[in-house]
Amino acid sequence: VLNMLPYLLLFATVLSSPLVDEVQFKLLPLGSQFVPSDPGMVLTNISVSKNPLHCAIACVNDIRCLTANFDQSIQQCSLFSSWLFEGSTSLSPTSQIIFI
């Protein structure tokens, strides 16, 4: 049940405005990774991402990002421009999905 999952609440400041936007991310438990339906939806892979929070911040900083994977074994964050429901999930013992 997605409503019961932990979530991150990040605040992103828009440079051209003094307003602060609230962005809520949810984290799936460790053990799954997002697989986009279209490989062209991969925005970037960020090496040496320290934790899921840094990965979520990287996603907030890219307006196109809607879903991200954090792989703790290789400390890599992958950003995607597709919603969680537009792809599938696969088992991965060291990965965690972060999504809006």
Side-chain angles (χ1 to χ4, degrees):
V1 176
L2 295 179
N3 291 345
M4 299 176 69
L5 297 173
Y7 65 90
L8 294 172
L9 190 58
L10 299 176
F11 296 96
T13 303
V14 179
L15 295 177
S16 62
S17 168
L19 302 175
V20 174
D21 294 329
E22 182 179 301
V23 180
Q24 181 176 328
F25 277 84
K26 295 190 180 198
L27 289 101
L28 291 180
L30 191 65
S32 60
Q33 78 176 24
F34 176 69
V35 180
S37 58
D38 177 359
M41 298 304 228
V42 177
L43 295 171
T44 190
N45 291 310
I46 303 166
S47 297
V48 195
S49 182
K50 296 181 182 180
N51 57 47
L53 177 60
H54 285 113
C55 191
I57 291 169
C59 193
V60 166
N61 287 330
D62 188 331
I63 195 162
R64 303 167 297 163
C65 183
L66 301 170
T67 307
N69 282 331
F70 175 72
D71 188 328
Q72 70 179 12
S73 68
I74 58 174
Q75 295 184 322
Q76 180 173 310
C77 176
S78 301
L79 307 181
F80 304 94
S81 62
S82 56
W83 298 102
L84 182 62
F85 63 83
E86 294 178 317
S88 60
T89 59
S90 67
L91 296 176
S92 176
T94 61
S95 292
Q96 191 168 12
I97 299 172
I98 303 161
F99 65 99
I100 294 177

